Amino acid sequence: MAADHVRAVLAALVMLSVCEASGLGPAAQGEASEEAAWVEPWDGSVFQPPSPLGAVGVSCQPGAPRPEQEETADLPVLLWWSPGLFPHFPGDSERIECPRGACVASRDRRMRADLRTRALLFYGTDFRASEAPLPRLAHQSWALLHEESPLNNFLLSHGPGIRLFNLTATFSRHSDYPLPLQWLPGAAYLRHPAPPLHERAEWRRYGYAPVLYLQSHCDVPADRDRYVRELMRYIRVDSYGKCLQNKQLPTARLQDTSTATTEDPELLAFLSRYKFHLALENAICNDYMTEKLWRPMHLGAVPVYRGSPSVRDWMPNNHSIILIDDFDSPQKLAEFIDFLDKNDEEYMKYLAYKQPGGITNQFLLDSLKQREWGVNDPLLPNYLNGFECFVCDHELARLDAEKVHAASFGDIPVPEPHIAQSSHMDCPVPTPGYGKVTEIPENDSWKEMWLQDYWQGLYQGEALTAMIHNNETQQSKFWDYLHEIFMKRNQNL
């Protein structure tokens, strides 16, 4: 999925201007109601998966001078160390205007040692300990953009890994630039009408099951297939995709796994036939919620969910999803789904949020209203440019603090550097989807792959931290150290 994400970003960048074309910003749109502001203007592209890039950029304000027209020599430089996400084409550098002032964004790695380069920006999926730009320069901040789960990089799920960075933009509400609702376009998306129950009853007469499972990414850290396999013993589940497949999607185009992550109208029409969708994230992390959760709610299906332990905080009301972990066993869950399936009145309580006034969670409404970016919304900026400006403002404030310190002849201290915390990527050790670790054979693919990767991430974080603190620069020494602690840990396990 990470590769698809980067390709989506690059494809969007080719077609975008770096300056806002419409002249409409969040302030102008604030005059319209939230409902009117999101009347499903998309063309099936809400989830592609979601690019951080909207249809317009915010690198310069309307009428702002271009970089070649105005002096940039004294501006702080933000260096994108993950050049594939550089949000300014066609050049390698771009002046950006942010609330606190201007910076220069660049992807030219030759700028790394320049004293003007105040921050390095990394995309978490691309970050590798073996490729870290060492030695780390004392005057530079490291900023991390990582909206993905730890499946893409377990290094960042450990304290030593995340604390390598000063600033973060992750799915966690506790990160410096939070992105927990990156897959939810708006409240009106949730209010989309559900198909009438009589239509779903008609489809059931054609042999459809009450429960849908659509997943082609198998063997993930959350070990979701192990749970679903056990659930299938007690209730009928139509499983499409490559994982536990027992049925085929009706057309070859829908069987394409890339289609399953989009809002293809034909796919959505098919998925809406089911009253319950198994919605299991690929990893368990606080605030990590994807289209697996929001898309069923849009369609008017009830998500049977396992993922973010904090998911209740973000739900439209307190009666809109079924949480797998509320049930003692898959059998108990199956019995409850069957009860709802046979009792329309009880089932419809789970769709009450679609009625006027049905979204009662003020925290969710406030979070959607206060975020400054949109989800593939052509009228709003994107979180990639937003994070860039967040880092720019941080560095301008840090420069001002350094000047105050210098003018005071040391009487006023320089503020302590801001360091990211574990809560910015709050993901515990992977656990089995069903059963206990001791019950799983040693040659089980999940046990071999994901537990090993999790601990390897910890080893890499500790090794890289030690290298930075010791100011070692030779990669061979880094890997010698990594091998040493890896062998010691294996002896202690």
Side-chain angles (χ1 to χ4, degrees):
M1 180 173 174
D4 291 340
H5 174 90
V6 173
R7 280 195 292 271
V9 171
L10 291 174
L13 278 168
V14 171
M15 302 180 66
L16 300 182
S17 165
V18 296
C19 291
E20 186 163 332
S22 69
L24 293 176
Q29 299 154 26
E31 300 173 1
S33 68
E34 192 281 334
E35 188 76 30
W38 188 267
V39 193
E40 299 187 4
W42 69 89
D43 57 357
S45 60
V46 174
F47 303 125
Q48 294 194 335
S51 161
L53 295 170
V56 295
V58 292
S59 62
C60 53
Q61 299 299 320
R66 303 297 298 174
E68 62 269 22
Q69 296 175 317
E70 187 167 333
E71 184 60 52
T72 61
D74 296 329
L75 297 180
V77 175
L78 314 179
L79 177 58
W80 281 93
W81 201 252
S82 301
L85 285 189
F86 185 66
H88 313 284
F89 277 132
D92 289 332
S93 296
E94 181 80 22
R95 177 191 174 103
I96 60 174
E97 300 289 342
C98 300
R100 195 179 182 98
C103 292
V104 172
S106 177
R107 60 176 174 175
D108 184 353
R109 288 192 174 187
R110 293 173 299 179
M111 293 292 297
R112 176 179 168 255
D114 196 302
L115 290 177
R116 293 172 299 165
T117 300
R118 300 284 299 184
L120 269 59
L121 280 61
F122 300 89
Y123 182 49
T125 299
D126 297 339
F127 184 83
R128 295 292 179 268
S130 61
E131 300 169 2
L134 300 178
R136 182 168 179 172
L137 304 182
H139 71 285
Q140 291 175 349
S141 298
W142 280 16
L144 171 71
L145 173 67
H146 189 55
E147 84 289 18
E148 295 276 11
S149 81
L151 180 151
N152 298 82
N153 195 340
F154 270 114
L155 165 66
L156 305 174
S157 298
H158 300 285
I162 195 68
R163 286 194 295 269
L164 295 169
F165 301 92
N166 303 101
L167 303 172
T168 62
T170 76
F171 51 76
S172 171
R173 76 186 82 178
H174 301 296
S175 66
D176 300 303
Y177 193 80
L179 306 171
L181 298 176
Q182 59 183 294
W183 290 87
L184 179 60
Y189 181 79
L190 297 174
R191 297 190 185 108
H192 181 269
L197 286 180
H198 69 83
E199 288 188 9
R200 284 173 166 166
E202 184 67 24
W203 282 109
R204 293 287 286 283
R205 285 192 280 272
Y206 287 108
Y208 286 85
V211 184
L212 166 84
Y213 187 51
L214 176 61
Q215 194 54 248
S216 290
H217 193 172
C218 316
D219 296 323
V220 296
D223 197 28
R224 54 196 171 201
D225 293 342
R226 197 184 306 272
Y227 187 93
V228 175
R229 185 181 296 109
E230 182 68 15
L231 181 68
M232 286 175 163
R233 295 177 56 194
Y234 305 103
I235 194 168
R236 286 181 58 216
V237 176
D238 285 349
S239 181
Y240 303 92
K242 298 178 180 178
C243 306
L244 306 179
Q245 185 182 71
N246 58 23
K247 296 192 86 169
Q248 284 275 11
L249 286 163
T251 67
R253 188 173 65 82
L254 295 187
Q255 292 165 19
D256 184 343
T257 56
S258 62
T259 304
T261 59
T262 71
E263 295 246 317
D264 179 90
E266 182 185 351
L267 176 66
L268 294 189
F270 179 81
L271 300 182
S272 68
R273 300 171 184 177
Y274 289 86
K275 293 170 70 174
F276 303 91
H277 288 201
L278 290 175
L280 290 81
E281 306 289 6
N282 63 36
I284 308 298
C285 305
N286 273 318
D287 299 338
Y288 180 65
M289 301 162 292
T290 70
E291 90 288 353
K292 296 174 186 65
L293 170 65
W294 302 116
R295 184 165 64 185
M297 300 183 76
H298 167 69
L299 295 176
V302 176
V304 182
Y305 184 76
R306 173 181 277 170
S308 167
S310 59
V311 67
R312 281 190 175 96
D313 293 349
W314 303 99
M315 289 298 94
N317 60 30
N318 59 7
H319 203 77
S320 49
I321 62 173
I322 298 171
L323 295 181
I324 288 175
D325 292 333
D326 283 349
F327 296 85
D328 293 335
S329 68
Q331 182 177 2
K332 294 293 185 183
L333 172 62
E335 291 171 356
F336 184 70
I337 294 174
D338 184 61
F339 166 75
L340 292 181
D341 186 39
K342 295 174 179 176
N343 293 269
D344 289 350
E345 184 176 350
E346 291 299 316
Y347 176 83
M348 290 304 295
K349 290 179 180 179
Y350 282 83
L351 302 183
Y353 63 87
K354 292 186 174 294
Q355 303 304 316
I359 299 181
T360 59
N361 184 351
Q362 197 59 45
F363 175 68
L364 172 65
L365 293 172
D366 289 345
S367 298
L368 288 169
K369 183 179 180 180
Q370 292 166 7
R371 70 183 184 185
E372 64 183 41
W373 41 271
V375 179
N376 290 353
D377 187 336
L379 302 180
L380 289 175
N382 57 76
Y383 61 70
L384 192 65
N385 289 118
F387 180 57
E388 194 178 55
C389 261
F390 175 80
V391 176
C392 173
D393 287 345
H394 177 271
E395 293 311 307
L396 290 171
R398 196 160 67 93
L399 279 168
D400 288 344
E402 291 173 1
K403 292 175 183 177
V404 170
H405 166 73
S408 73
F409 298 100
D411 292 340
I412 299 176
V414 176
E416 290 293 321
H418 179 76
I419 303 296
Q421 300 300 311
S422 296
S423 61
H424 295 201
M425 280 284 293
D426 194 1
C427 307
V429 179
T431 57
Y434 177 73
K436 300 178 181 178
V437 172
T438 54
E439 300 169 345
I440 300 175
E442 290 302 316
N443 62 351
D444 183 88
S445 60
W446 173 84
K447 202 168 186 177
E448 288 181 339
M449 186 181 304
W450 299 113
L451 288 183
Q452 176 181 339
D453 284 0
Y454 180 87
W455 291 113
Q456 185 69 9
L458 175 60
Y459 307 150
Q460 290 188 22
E462 290 180 341
L464 185 53
T465 299
M467 287 292 292
I468 289 173
H469 289 170
N470 295 331
N471 199 29
E472 297 283 353
T473 59
Q474 297 179 20
Q475 291 298 315
S476 60
K477 290 185 179 180
F478 167 75
W479 286 112
D480 286 345
Y481 183 84
L482 176 60
H483 178 72
E484 179 184 348
I485 65 169
F486 181 79
M487 296 302 294
K488 288 181 179 178
R489 283 297 179 89
N490 276 351
Q491 293 170 5
N492 294 332
L493 288 178

